[in-house]
Amino acid sequence: DLLARILLALAEGERNVEDARKEISNEDSYDIQAIFKVLDNNGDNFITPKDIQKFLKAHGLEVNLIEVKLFILFYDQDHDFALTYGEIFKIVHPGKEFPKIPKYKKDEELNVKVDRKLYNLLEKEITMARIILALLDEIKHKNDFNIHSAFHALKYYACITGDSINIFLKNCGMRPTAGDIRAIVKRLDINKDEIIDFCEFHAFLGFPDCTFCCPCFPCGTC
């Protein structure tokens, strides 16, 4: 089942990224302000897909903006594809802790080791985005695909939960672990309320443009 494969690809990708987050945060010179500064090319206090693309290109990785936008989608709460300090923090920091947000200083520089590990983390994000994009393209070429049916297959009452994802995957013959389920929910639950509503699911499965939802608005039971 393609939808099940997409979910498990999310789980594997999130685990790889979380490992990379831990590697950055374990560095003595880890500094979220300096990380934000090096990505914020023009100092306008937000980071665009082009900023991410420029950083990766400078490290030798060519990426297209669609790949970057898919990875940003998982962190961008207002869907403007411009990452704030808080959203960058969620990308690079493991766990859920969130400290007071300071203003970064103009003279701060990113440590070489942290720079390399930041690249490693973003490269893992792009690797996952490429896998997911290929699977999304495959599922959208199925004649019977539409987002509403997929949402109904996964949801429990009005939303998708970790338990409903677990049941769906097991019904597809998969054997997900508790870690898999947590990783999937973490990826899709953009507003971090522990559930996945239709808008969050639609933003992901309809990426980069929704031409596979018929009709393209919530049906009466969504």
Side-chain angles (χ1 to χ4, degrees):
D1 187 285
L2 274 172
L3 183 55
R5 286 169 54 197
I6 290 171
L7 295 174
L8 290 178
L10 283 174
E12 182 178 2
E14 171 58 29
R15 285 195 301 270
N16 291 336
V17 169
E18 183 68 5
D19 288 342
R21 293 187 191 114
K22 290 175 182 176
E23 286 197 17
I24 291 181
S25 63
N26 286 335
E27 282 292 331
D28 293 337
S29 54
Y30 169 69
D31 185 344
I32 185 63
Q33 297 180 65
I35 288 173
F36 190 87
K37 178 188 173 184
V38 79
L39 294 174
D40 181 16
N41 286 295
N42 56 10
D44 57 7
N45 286 316
F46 62 86
I47 294 163
T48 67
K50 287 187 177 180
D51 290 330
I52 300 289
Q53 185 185 46
K54 183 176 180 180
F55 175 83
L56 292 171
K57 184 176 182 178
H59 288 71
L61 180 62
E62 294 285 347
V63 299
N64 64 54
L65 288 178
I66 293 296
E67 293 165 347
V68 179
K69 284 183 176 181
L70 178 58
F71 127 61
I72 286 176
L73 176 73
F74 296 119
Y75 303 96
D76 183 24
Q77 287 195 305
D78 55 7
H79 303 296
D80 63 352
F81 292 107
L83 295 170
T84 63
Y85 184 99
E87 289 163 341
I88 287 294
F89 184 91
K90 292 174 185 175
I91 291 173
V92 302
H93 194 74
K96 295 183 178 180
E97 306 87 4
F98 194 87
K100 182 179 179 180
I101 302 175
K103 292 283 186 181
Y104 66 83
K105 301 173 184 177
K106 296 296 182 183
D107 59 349
E108 287 179 310
E109 299 295 335
L110 192 62
N111 176 277
V112 173
K113 288 184 179 179
V114 177
D115 182 86
R116 185 171 66 249
K117 290 183 178 182
L118 175 61
Y119 166 76
N120 182 55
L121 185 153
L122 295 178
E123 188 274 333
K124 290 184 186 303
E125 289 279 8
I126 295 300
T127 296
M128 175 168 57
R130 287 172 174 169
I131 292 169
I132 296 300
L133 282 168
L135 289 170
L136 287 176
D137 183 66
E138 189 176 351
I139 198 172
K140 288 171 181 179
H141 281 85
K142 296 291 183 181
N143 292 332
D144 59 348
F145 171 76
N146 75 74
I147 292 174
H148 291 280
S149 295
F151 183 73
H152 284 298
L154 277 167
K155 75 184 181 73
Y156 177 74
Y157 288 108
C159 61
I160 297 170
T161 66
D163 287 341
S164 69
I165 293 172
N166 190 36
I167 291 169
F168 173 80
L169 290 175
K170 287 182 175 177
N171 287 340
C172 291
M174 309 295 185
R175 300 172 69 95
T177 66
D180 289 333
I181 302 303
R182 286 193 300 271
I184 294 165
V185 172
K186 185 175 181 179
R187 274 282 148 176
L188 296 181
D189 178 25
I190 298 171
N191 65 4
K192 306 307 175 191
D193 61 357
E194 303 297 330
I195 60 172
I196 300 154
D197 61 27
F198 181 77
C199 289
E200 290 169 325
F201 187 72
H202 187 283
F204 168 60
L205 211 61
F207 182 87
D209 59 84
C210 183
T211 56
F212 304 93
C213 191
C214 200
C216 191
F217 53 83
C219 62
T221 57
C222 283

